[in-house]
Amino acid sequence: MQDPLDLILVKSFLLIRDEKVFRLIYHRHNKSLWRMAIRLSNGDIMVADDLVQDAWIRAMGKLDTFQWKSTLRTWLVGILVFRWREHLRQKNIELRYFEPMENVLVTADTRPYPDMQIDIGRTLAQLPIGYRTILTLHDLEGYRHEDIADMLDIAVGTCKSQLHHARKAFRKLYT
């Protein structure tokens, strides 16, 4: 499950703290972190930049505690998600799960022209934050329920339930 190159790079970085080794780790994983940050922040580039930068700073500071129970990328994304949750708390935005279906609003601009293809990003943006998070992590990024549960500090069953509800809400907005 572990990528041998990640293992070598991390051990090398921890041993010699060389900037070139860090850059190799960075280039291997930054695109995934950026993609996740932009999705979580609803396309806000400034917020995404801050999240990614802070995630890297925190990850490098804690790299010696990484226990290889997940892939390095999953661990890095977990730090990013944790930082994003802190960002929401600072803005007094609650990351809620078990969002009632009646709270999912269907807006007129979801599908401006019936014959045009749906703008998935805009549809995702209309979902409540908890739903969007679960759907992004599982369906778009491919993380397992166990990894998502660890990232969000929720039960695996809650993760599965919320994915079901998130998909249902997405379909409601999609049609």
Side-chain angles (χ1 to χ4, degrees):
M1 181 174 197
Q2 292 303 329
D3 185 332
L5 184 54
D6 280 338
L7 188 60
I8 292 167
L9 289 172
V10 167
K11 288 187 182 224
S12 297
F13 178 77
L14 291 173
L15 186 63
I16 61 175
R17 300 283 178 176
D18 183 46
E19 183 180 339
K20 291 177 186 174
V21 177
F22 168 75
R23 285 182 187 200
L24 291 171
I25 296 169
Y26 178 88
H27 287 295
R28 283 178 57 80
H29 299 288
N30 195 59
K31 186 175 180 179
S32 294
L33 291 178
W34 172 252
R35 186 176 58 230
M36 178 60 67
I38 206 74
R39 286 177 175 162
L40 291 174
S41 67
N42 233 1
D44 188 327
I45 293 172
M46 291 181 68
V47 170
D49 276 340
D50 288 344
L51 292 174
V52 171
Q53 180 179 1
D54 199 34
W56 276 114
I57 291 168
R58 290 179 187 206
M60 291 300 105
K62 295 181 178 187
L63 193 57
D64 59 339
T65 66
F66 179 50
Q67 298 177 7
W68 299 97
K69 292 181 180 177
S70 65
T71 65
L72 181 61
R73 182 166 292 161
T74 299
W75 182 72
L76 291 168
V77 169
I79 292 171
L80 177 85
V81 169
F82 182 80
R83 179 57 194 106
W84 175 69
R85 292 175 71 194
E86 286 179 336
H87 169 78
L88 293 178
R89 279 192 294 275
Q90 290 169 353
K91 299 281 186 188
N92 291 322
I93 300 171
E94 184 180 355
L95 179 60
R96 295 185 334 192
Y97 300 99
F98 298 108
E99 186 76 28
M101 284 299 292
E102 57 270 8
N103 290 347
V104 178
L105 301 175
V106 178
T107 61
D109 68 345
T110 301
R111 195 170 186 177
Y113 304 102
D115 297 325
M116 290 186 69
Q117 184 177 4
I118 292 295
D119 180 351
I120 300 294
R122 193 172 11 179
T123 304
L124 273 172
Q126 292 180 41
L127 290 174
I129 292 170
Y131 284 176
R132 186 173 68 237
T133 303
I134 296 284
L135 202 60
T136 298
L137 288 169
H138 189 274
D139 288 357
L140 299 179
E141 295 296 325
Y143 289 99
R144 300 174 314 128
H145 289 290
E146 294 79 10
D147 294 330
I148 297 168
D150 286 343
M151 288 179 197
L152 300 178
D153 195 27
I154 59 176
V156 173
T158 302
C159 180
K160 291 178 180 180
S161 170
Q162 288 308 290
L163 180 60
H164 168 76
H165 291 295
R167 286 174 175 165
K168 196 171 175 182
F170 184 87
R171 281 192 299 271
K172 182 177 180 182
L173 291 171
Y174 184 83
T175 56

